[in-house]
Amino acid sequence: KDKIKLGTLGETKTISYLKSKGFIIHETTYRSRFCEIDIIAEDENTLCFIEVKTRRSLKKGLPKESVNHTKQKKIIQGAQFYLKAKNQHNIKLRFDVVEVYIENDNARINLIKNAFWTS
């Protein structure tokens, strides 16, 4: 339960951060039969599929390290499903990871653009 609260807090902080950077949020917690995509947003005519990883410490490694190859494949499948469902073709895509470090009530956010891609 605490883990879910932490994840939700991280996503809320990330949405505010992305909006402050000019991103247009299209979807949050988008679910398909393949996976859940935390945030789908637009950044300068590029559609971004964003995975948010929130941590209180680095005991388990960097947050981005938990977005392994299997997780990446699922996100890519989810993105393909989304594009098909929304009838989106020939648009620029990007897969980002956002690392959120929560200490007390402060959040440190690290946006990693083009965190992964497979052709």
Side-chain angles (χ1 to χ4, degrees), residues 28-86:
T28 57
T29 320
Y30 175 79
R31 288 184 176 92
S32 73
R33 61 192 176 104
F34 301 105
C35 74
E36 180 182 292
I37 297 172
D38 295 329
I39 301 168
I40 301 172
E42 198 176 320
D43 178 32
E44 298 177 0
N45 300 321
T46 300
L47 195 60
C48 307
F49 295 88
I50 303 167
E51 178 69 11
V52 180
K53 289 292 173 192
T54 308
R55 297 279 187 275
R56 288 195 192 279
S57 77
L58 296 179
K59 276 186 236 162
K60 294 180 181 174
L62 295 171
K64 67 179 179 187
E65 292 170 347
S66 65
V67 186
N68 60 25
H69 186 70
T70 304
K71 179 79 172 164
Q72 290 173 16
K73 268 175 61 176
K74 284 183 177 178
I75 293 168
I76 290 165
Q77 285 180 315
Q80 289 168 335
F81 184 86
Y82 175 85
L83 294 170
K84 200 170 183 178
K86 298 287 181 184

Side-chain angles (χ1 to χ4, degrees), residues 74-116:
K74 284 183 177 178
I75 293 168
I76 290 165
Q77 285 180 315
Q80 289 168 335
F81 184 86
Y82 175 85
L83 294 170
K84 200 170 183 178
K86 298 287 181 184
N87 205 17
Q88 300 267 341
H89 306 285
N90 301 320
I91 57 169
K92 286 170 65 180
L93 292 183
R94 195 172 78 208
F95 294 93
D96 298 348
V97 172
V98 175
E99 297 179 312
V100 183
Y101 301 95
I102 304 279
E103 293 174 87
N104 304 322
D105 270 346
N106 301 324
R108 211 171 74 237
I109 294 173
N110 179 30
L111 168 62
I112 305 163
K113 294 182 178 183
N114 287 309
F116 60 89

Side-chain angles (χ1 to χ4, degrees), residues 16-31:
S16 298
Y17 172 84
L18 293 173
K19 285 180 177 176
S20 79
K21 296 290 181 194
F23 282 67
I24 298 161
I25 308 297
H26 288 280
E27 306 260 356
T28 57
T29 320
Y30 175 79
R31 288 184 176 92

